[in-house]
């Protein structure tokens, strides 16, 4: 029961951060939004920084579950890769105020949690999907799958770099789409493009 209540609080906090951003709310405001007094908030989470880290971990658990659900309904590596990118695009679109630059500068523990997720989960997953797609003739045979996976993670870092794409003047979802989808299309064989056509149209 305590775990259920904790998850409910984390989900409410996540919605708050998505709607107003990480940097604009103080602990007192967060506590009120979660229907807690400040003492109860600090007993449960310790600090705003720890809450943000727990929200990130909760999001990671949810995303991994949703990835498993997606892949269970798809038959080819190229479709799985595009579904993974589409899911990430959806995450950015529904999080217009999730300030990654604020997180990186002010909440390094939460930022490091995301970086570990990318290196320990996303990188092996991208590498595996690319390798399987090469074997099945959907991605070009001359690709170096681990190297391409590294490039894709670097592209993600570029997307959330506020010096290149200022968040006040940039739609991150549009940046994501323009960087990734045309790049992935260039990795595909003719067979891969054929399989991916319906996914590209939806994105």
């Amino acid at each position: 029961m305590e775990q259920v209540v904790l998850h409910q609080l984390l989900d409410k906090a996540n919605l708050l951060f998505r709607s107003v951003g990480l940097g604009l709310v103080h602990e007192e405001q967060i506590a009120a939004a979660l229907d807690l007094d400040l003492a109860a908030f600090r007993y449960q989470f310790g600090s705003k920084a720890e809450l943000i880290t727990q929200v990130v971990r909760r999001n990671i658990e949810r995303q991994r579950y949703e990835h498993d659900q997606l892949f269970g309904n798809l038959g080819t590596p190229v479709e799985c890769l595009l579904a993974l990118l589409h899911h990430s695009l959806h995450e950015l679109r529904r999080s217009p105020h999730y300030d990654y630059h604020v997180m990186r500068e002010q909440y390094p523990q939460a930022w490091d949690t995301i970086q570990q997720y990318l290196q320990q989960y996303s990188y092996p997953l991208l590498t595996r999907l690319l390798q399987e797609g090469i074997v099945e003739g959907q991605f070009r045979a001359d690709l170096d799958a681990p190297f391409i996976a590294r490039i894709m993670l670097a592209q993600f870092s570029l997307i959330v770099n506020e010096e290149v794409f200022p968040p006040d003047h940039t739609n991150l979802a549009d940046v994501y789409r323009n960087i990734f989808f045309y790049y992935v299309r260039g990795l595909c064989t003719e067979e891969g493009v054929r399989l991916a056509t319906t996914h590209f149209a939806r994105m």
Side-chain angles (χ1 to χ4, degrees):
M1 185 62 179
E2 290 183 2
Q3 193 73 2
V4 172
V5 172
L6 174 60
H7 287 171
Q8 291 172 343
L9 291 173
L10 293 176
D11 291 342
K12 287 179 70 174
N14 188 44
L15 290 174
L16 176 66
F17 294 141
R18 283 181 164 176
S19 62
V20 302
L22 297 176
L24 297 181
V25 286
H26 302 290
E27 288 186 358
E28 294 84 354
Q29 295 168 307
I30 298 169
L34 300 181
D35 297 320
L36 300 171
D37 60 37
L38 188 57
F41 170 83
R42 287 178 175 164
Y43 175 80
Q44 179 69 59
F45 298 109
S47 66
K48 177 183 174 181
E50 178 57 30
L51 170 64
I52 291 173
T53 299
Q54 290 192 39
V55 167
V56 167
R57 289 174 180 153
R58 170 77 170 153
N59 277 335
I60 286 172
E61 291 175 3
R62 173 185 54 78
Q63 289 177 30
R64 293 187 65 160
Y65 172 80
E66 291 173 357
H67 292 166
D68 289 341
Q69 298 301 304
L70 279 174
F71 298 158
N73 296 315
L74 297 171
T76 65
V78 68
E79 289 175 305
C80 288
L81 181 65
L82 289 171
L84 179 66
L85 295 177
H86 191 211
H87 183 273
S88 299
L89 175 62
H90 179 67
E91 288 287 303
L92 285 174
R93 280 179 172 156
R94 65 191 265 198
S95 309
H97 300 291
Y98 214 88
D99 307 316
Y100 291 101
H101 62 291
V102 173
M103 185 188 297
R104 184 177 66 246
E105 294 169 4
Q106 299 182 22
Y107 304 101
Q109 183 179 3
W111 181 255
D112 288 346
T113 299
I114 290 179
Q115 299 312 301
Q116 290 173 12
Y117 169 70
L118 293 175
Q119 293 301 321
Q120 297 174 11
Y121 171 77
S122 300
Y123 172 67
L125 176 58
L126 289 169
T127 301
R128 177 176 63 80
L129 292 174
L130 288 163
Q131 289 172 332
E132 291 176 356
I134 291 169
V135 170
E136 296 187 21
Q138 297 153 22
F139 294 121
R140 292 168 39 188
D142 59 344
L143 296 181
D144 181 332
F147 187 73
I148 297 298
R150 292 282 183 205
I151 290 175
M152 296 177 80
L153 290 182
Q155 288 171 326
F156 176 80
S157 296
L158 176 63
I159 291 167
V160 297
N161 184 329
E162 75 280 2
E163 294 181 1
V164 180
F165 298 109
D168 293 338
H169 307 288
T170 306
N171 184 317
L172 289 185
D174 288 342
V175 176
Y176 190 102
R177 186 183 195 284
N178 280 282
I179 286 178
F180 272 112
F181 297 145
Y182 299 108
Y183 180 77
V184 172
R185 188 177 187 120
L187 303 178
C188 290
T189 62
E190 290 186 9
E191 174 67 7
V193 171
R194 185 186 67 78
L195 289 168
T197 297
T198 56
H199 285 269
F200 276 117
R202 285 207 302 270
M203 295 174 187

